Amino acid sequence: MQKLVVTGGKPLRGELSVQGSKNSALPIMAASLMCGGECRLHRCPKLTDIYAASRILNCVGCRCTFSGNSAAVDSRSIDRTEIPEELMREMRSSIIFMGAMLGTAGECTVSVPGGCELGPRPIDMHLAALKRMGVDISELSGRIVCRIPSGRAHGAKISLAFPSVGATENIILCAVTADGETVINNAAREPEICDLCGFLRACGARITGDGESRIVVKGKAKLHGCEYTIMPDRIAAATYLSMTAAAGGEIILTNACVPETEPFLSVLEQTGCSIYTGENKIYLHSGVRLRAVRERIRTMPHPGFPTDAQAVLMAALAAADGTSIFEENIFDCRYRHTDALIKMGADIQVLGKVAIVKGVRRLHGANVEATDLRGGAAMAVAALAAEGTTQITKISHIDRGYEKIEEAVSALGGDIRRA
Ligand code: EPU
């Protein structure tokens, strides 16, 4: 089993080009199976989750191949609507293939993605919405069997109880080829939703309102292939910024999506780092000790503070001057990284959805285990700032979302290697 060995205390300096967004690439790959032609996707990050998505595409009869950071998906030869359980279980977001398969073949059999590292992640909103669009859904020995009797879904007015990213994506995917108009109220406003819609529009879909709470999709019988560049990953950007803030130094992120990263930057700025932004660029300088963030850091749907950046910022604040308070409002179990941070000397108290982080003078190295993707990245952030050496095991979690993290950090002067 591989691990990351990190020796802290070295400032990070240099320029880093931000990888493509995992959470955009995954639904876009699913959407590419609806095009009945070839799609070329650029800035596709090389991640284990992306390869899992390509295995699903190949399994249903598409041809998905990679060349560097570009993927080609040919969906002319789809011949299967059932996704085997082992492929579904490889990643939670495989559920996004449900809307895409329904939109293209009118039926699919998938598995309940089940609980994951972040706690139970129900799909009740996905299923209720698809039912409103004419999909018959039944459960057969743990498998979800979906069928549209007429072969084509119909438009519907859907109001989500919570702006779920995955449910919004599944509804959009099913709606683009549905008969009539679909309106999604209280839709998720995450930038990755806009990226998915941008891709679908490039394939001929008619969608308006993405990025706002009310999305309108006018169904259309057929889509076509296209060439599309995936947006940069705002959470990878937040992670490398947190590393530099914690370890000290200065970094220029190129290829960054600035407005989309703003909810994170506006909080990070309160730690005393100097941050400047330009077109697709973020500059950060961290010289002295970080200051705690005075206002409560509440994770919220976009444009609120992103839950995916909660752990990495917490790691940076673990050795700041003063006390920072986090409130996790999106997932029930998103503080699992705190035990590892405490093992590294952090003073963190978790009380339900609140975590109280009292900045300590210095963290120290320890042997820790990645608990989940962002939690594992948080351990790397803490390790780069800590005194001594940290070994992080179970890094398959980290590899799900960060493209060659050790190469990116070593190029900035960090002492990190994969062993
Ligand atoms: N929820 C329900 N019922 C549903 C759907 C969601 O109760 O039918 C709940 C979830 O259990 C959770 C909350 O609603 O408590 C938010 O879930 P959402 O559906 O918005 O999240 P998701 O689509 O499962 C995506 C990202 C996550 C990111 C969240 C929130 C992908 C592949 N995943 O998950 O990314 O945290 O949105 O922004 O896009 C990560 O990258 O580390 C990651 C976990």
Side-chain angles (χ1 to χ4, degrees):
M1 210 168 54
Q2 293 190 328
K3 58 187 174 191
L4 287 176
V5 182
V6 188
T7 302
K10 286 197 165 179
L12 302 184
R13 284 184 208 289
E15 200 172 297
L16 178 70
S17 169
V18 180
Q19 68 184 58
S21 162
K22 164 180 86 77
N23 290 349
S24 271
L26 292 172
I28 288 175
M29 286 175 81
S32 68
L33 72 73
M34 304 182 69
C35 300
E38 194 178 62
C39 290
R40 289 188 174 271
L41 306 176
H42 304 299
R43 210 192 277 143
C44 214
K46 294 182 194 162
L47 303 169
T48 50
D49 269 11
I50 298 296
Y51 298 131
S54 81
R55 280 194 287 282
I56 295 180
L57 287 170
N58 288 329
C59 165
V60 297
C62 294
R63 224 176 88 79
C64 176
T65 51
F66 292 93
S67 163
N69 282 100
S70 295
V73 182
D74 187 340
S75 57
R76 277 171 289 206
S77 47
I78 292 180
D79 55 3
R80 191 171 169 180
T81 58
E82 191 180 321
I83 304 176
E85 184 157 358
E86 61 273 18
L87 288 183
M88 285 297 293
R89 289 205 181 277
E90 279 191 35
M91 60 170 178
R92 150 91 194 176
S93 49
S94 54
I95 200 65
I96 238 57
F97 281 85
M98 185 164 62
M101 288 302 302
L102 285 167
T104 198
E107 60 174 41
C108 68
T109 302
V110 296
S111 301
V112 192
C116 73
E117 319 84 61
L118 308 181
R121 287 168 80 176
I123 52 164
D124 52 321
M125 283 189 267
H126 302 233
L127 300 181
L130 293 172
K131 281 182 187 163
R132 284 183 68 93
M133 299 176 74
V135 183
D136 281 348
I137 302 178
S138 53
E139 214 179 313
L140 201 70
S141 2
R143 304 281 283 158
I144 307 173
V145 183
C146 306
R147 224 182 122 258
I148 306 171
S150 66
R152 190 175 178 201
H154 57 72
K157 244 194 167 141
I158 295 160
S159 292
L160 293 174
F162 178 87
S164 153
V165 173
T168 303
E169 290 168 346
N170 255 332
I171 300 165
I172 292 171
L173 289 169
C174 189
V176 284
T177 54
D179 189 12
E181 182 179 280
T182 300
V183 178
I184 314 171
N185 287 313
N186 199 23
R189 298 167 61 189
E190 269 63 9
E192 294 75 18
I193 299 276
C194 301
D195 211 23
L196 170 65
C197 292
F199 167 78
L200 286 166
R201 275 190 290 266
C203 296
R206 295 180 298 178
I207 308 170
T208 52
D210 44 304
E212 290 159 35
S213 300
R214 184 172 182 272
I215 297 179
V216 179
V217 184
K218 289 187 166 50
K220 158 169 202 195
K222 271 197 179 330
L223 301 181
H224 52 73
C226 77
E227 195 155 347
Y228 193 77
T229 300
I230 287 159
M231 69 177 278
D233 195 312
R234 63 194 169 105
I235 306 301
T239 303
Y240 293 113
L241 291 169
S242 298
M243 285 176 171
T244 313
E250 56 190 336
I251 188 175
I252 300 173
L253 293 180
T254 57
N255 226 338
C257 45
V258 178
E260 292 81 356
T261 315
E262 200 53 55
F264 171 78
L265 294 179
S266 62
V267 175
L268 185 64
E269 211 160 26
Q270 297 174 45
T271 64
C273 292
S274 312
I275 300 176
Y276 302 98
T277 56
E279 205 182 324
N280 305 328
K281 281 199 172 101
I282 303 173
Y283 166 87
L284 175 140
H285 175 263
S286 165
V288 287
R289 249 173 100 72
L290 298 184
R291 283 197 303 264
V293 174
R294 280 193 179 197
E295 64 185 40
R296 193 179 267 227
I297 304 161
R298 294 183 167 89
T299 68
M300 297 294 257
H302 192 77
F305 185 87
T307 173
D308 293 343
Q310 174 255 106
V312 292
L313 181 64
M314 185 184 291
L317 290 172
D321 268 338
T323 300
S324 308
I325 299 180
F326 286 82
E327 184 180 303
E328 172 56 52
N329 294 305
I330 308 295
F331 289 106
D332 289 340
C333 293
R334 219 168 189 184
Y335 284 140
R336 292 183 58 209
H337 51 279
T338 53
D339 284 345
L341 298 182
I342 291 168
K343 202 172 171 192
M344 296 174 76
D347 181 347
I348 303 172
Q349 203 187 352
V350 174
L351 301 160
K353 56 158 73 173
V354 171
I356 301 165
V357 183
K358 289 189 182 144
V360 295
R361 199 186 63 77
R362 190 95 204 247
L363 298 174
H364 55 75
N367 292 342
V368 294
E369 211 172 70
T371 44
D372 59 273
L373 164 57
R374 308 301 172 188
M379 292 168 208
V381 172
L384 286 164
E387 205 156 22
T389 299
T390 297
Q391 298 206 17
I392 310 173
T393 51
K394 291 221 174 151
I395 56 171
S396 54
H397 286 300
I398 300 177
D399 291 334
R400 286 183 39 226
Y402 295 92
E403 201 173 62
K404 296 191 183 139
I405 193 168
E406 72 283 10
E407 285 182 21
V409 178
S410 338
L412 296 170
D415 187 344
I416 179 170
R417 65 187 164 85
R418 189 179 287 257

